[in-house]
Amino acid sequence: MSVTAAKGFAAEGVAAGIKESGDADLALVVNRGPRLAAAGVFTANRVKAAPVLWSQQVVKGGQVSAVVLNSGGANACTGPEGFADTHATAEKAAEVLGHSAGEIAIASTGLIGVRLPMDKLLPGLEKAAAGLSAHGGEKAAIAIKTTDTVHKTAVVQGEGWTVGGMAKGAGMLAPGLATMLVVLTTDADIDTPGLDTALRAATRTTFDRVDSDGCMSTNDTVLLLASGASGVTPAADAFAEAVRSVCDDLARQLIGDAEGASKDIRIEVINAATEDDAVEVGRSIARNNLLKCALHGEDPNWGRVLSAIGTTSAAFDPDKLNVAINGVWVCRNGSVGDDRDLVNMRYREVRITADLAEGSETAVIWANDLTADYVHENSAYSS
């Protein structure tokens, strides 16, 4: 179970005909209360899709009673007409649910620059509303897939309360969240400020540190809804850790399903002067295409790690840098370290440790290798 693991939520996923394949493409998640508190985090891209602009305004109101999500079309860069389509979607959802349109968030994913087929989406909403169920979380998670090969869900149980979630994302994964639609739900009795604090802390160290291909989406949306149905108000730190744990689980699933990837790369930057330095270095390593190609070929090419570090503004002395790949310190003090032939690259996960020898701060960034399959998937057809 995912978004319906927490009490007070219902969901459904249907095939509305938005995708030419006929696969499920429209999801509906409804908060049945008694609380309708919500928080959201959205893409940092200055080019934002109409659903993002709409949902940002909805979340500012502090209450979200339902979320409509579609795959098969991003409704991004579609002008005033695209925003009108988003508004019409919210109005239709409000009509079939008996809610206010101003409390309905919208999220879309798919090809940019193409308007959604509203003649299919709006009737699909009626179908989804009719099928709402407290067990519909998995169907909703399936309906938001695009190039995802698997649907992604996660749940953490607290003492009398639950946090659950679903996510989609397989490409265009980079900070500013990643090409993700994520809905998190909880039956904990938490107000909007508490949700916002927990969500921002969680995304900062999970979704914001997924950097698969260096490309930032126009549609990233992460929503956290609270129904309060458990009647339990957990301690703030316990709740924050549960939200972080669900986000971390989903972020790892995004990396594991990245388009064409054969390696999941965990980049840990240690002994940095500041956390910002650690993150900057980690991102630079994650985006080095020469390194990503080398790792795909199971080549522990540590020189490319140093090269990536050298492009940053982080504090370091080149003669004090150390790099380990899968636990073998192949670079010591900016030069040759242990025998690179000792590095075992057979397994899917590759661990890179970059020691800046400047302080005590650390950060972890997750990335993938660069494969021919990734190039094919992003060149053979529009996505």
Side-chain angles (χ1 to χ4, degrees):
M1 297 176 68
S2 60
V3 291
T4 51
K7 299 173 185 175
F9 292 92
E12 173 66 313
V14 301
I18 302 169
K19 290 179 180 175
E20 292 184 3
S21 65
D23 291 340
D25 51 22
L26 185 65
L28 180 61
V29 178
V30 175
N31 184 353
R32 290 175 168 166
R35 187 185 281 277
L36 300 177
V41 180
F42 302 90
T43 181
N45 198 318
R46 292 172 61 194
V47 178
K48 291 178 171 59
V52 169
L53 297 172
W54 172 271
S55 295
Q56 284 179 316
Q57 293 303 311
V58 170
V59 168
K60 282 182 180 179
Q63 291 198 149
V64 174
S65 61
V67 186
V68 179
L69 309 97
N70 76 270
S71 54
N75 194 10
C77 306
T78 48
E81 295 85 358
F83 190 83
D85 289 342
T86 294
H87 190 180
T89 301
E91 292 286 356
K92 182 64 175 181
E95 174 191 326
V96 298
L97 295 173
H99 296 179
S100 166
E103 294 180 355
I104 296 176
I106 310 294
S108 301
T109 182
L111 187 63
I112 293 172
V114 178
R115 288 184 64 188
L116 294 171
M118 299 302 289
D119 59 328
K120 297 177 180 177
L121 190 154
L122 298 183
L125 266 176
E126 296 182 353
K127 181 180 177 182
L132 284 168
S133 165
H135 304 288
E138 184 174 21
K139 292 176 69 177
I142 291 170
I144 60 175
K145 291 166 54 183
T146 50
T147 56
D148 307 62
T149 64
V150 295
H151 60 285
K152 303 165 179 71
T153 65
V155 175
V156 168
Q157 298 287 347
E159 295 185 9
W161 52 277
T162 299
V163 177
M166 68 177 186
K168 68 75 51 184
M172 209 182 244
L173 296 174
L177 297 185
T179 293
M180 312 178 320
L181 301 185
V182 178
V183 178
L184 309 170
T185 58
T186 183
D187 51 18
D189 192 12
I190 305 288
D191 61 14
T192 294
L195 296 179
D196 187 71
T197 297
L199 182 61
R200 291 184 184 279
T203 56
R204 188 181 71 84
T205 60
T206 58
F207 297 131
D208 272 348
R209 294 186 184 177
V210 167
D211 205 324
S212 176
D213 56 15
C215 299
M216 186 189 296
S217 169
T218 56
N219 287 61
D220 302 331
T221 299
V222 181
L223 299 171
L224 173 58
L225 316 181
S227 70
S230 71
V232 178
T233 301
D237 58 349
F239 179 70
E241 175 54 27
V243 174
R244 189 209 64 78
S245 181
V246 171
C247 291
D248 187 57
D249 190 337
L250 292 172
R252 288 292 310 278
Q253 291 182 56
L254 294 175
I255 279 291
D257 192 35
E259 292 173 344
S262 68
K263 302 287 187 185
D264 301 335
I265 307 167
R266 182 183 188 273
I267 302 161
E268 183 176 20
V269 181
I270 63 174
N271 298 325
T274 66
E275 184 181 13
D276 286 346
D277 276 4
V279 172
E280 183 185 359
V281 168
R283 292 206 197 292
S284 181
I285 295 170
R287 295 180 177 185
N288 188 293
N289 284 337
L290 286 175
L291 174 64
K292 290 156 72 78
C293 290
L295 297 179
H296 175 59
E298 300 188 349
D299 172 11
N301 195 325
W302 58 267
R304 292 177 180 175
V305 177
L306 260 63
S307 176
I309 295 171
T311 66
T312 71
S313 61
F316 66 86
D317 180 340
D319 294 329
K320 294 182 179 178
L321 295 174
N322 305 296
V323 174
I325 300 178
N326 286 349
V328 179
W329 290 94
V330 287
C331 169
R332 294 182 186 274
N333 297 318
S335 186
V336 179
D338 297 343
D339 187 349
R340 54 185 281 162
D341 290 340
L342 298 173
V343 181
N344 186 345
M345 302 278 291
R346 291 178 296 169
Y347 300 105
R348 173 142 187 145
E349 186 172 304
V350 176
R351 292 184 168 236
I352 296 174
T353 305
D355 178 4
L356 302 188
E358 281 289 338
S360 59
E361 296 299 317
T362 184
V364 174
I365 304 290
W366 282 91
N368 303 100
D369 57 343
L370 183 57
T371 70
D373 287 342
Y374 175 86
V375 175
H376 173 76
E377 191 155 340
N378 286 279
S379 61
Y381 55 89
S382 292
S383 63

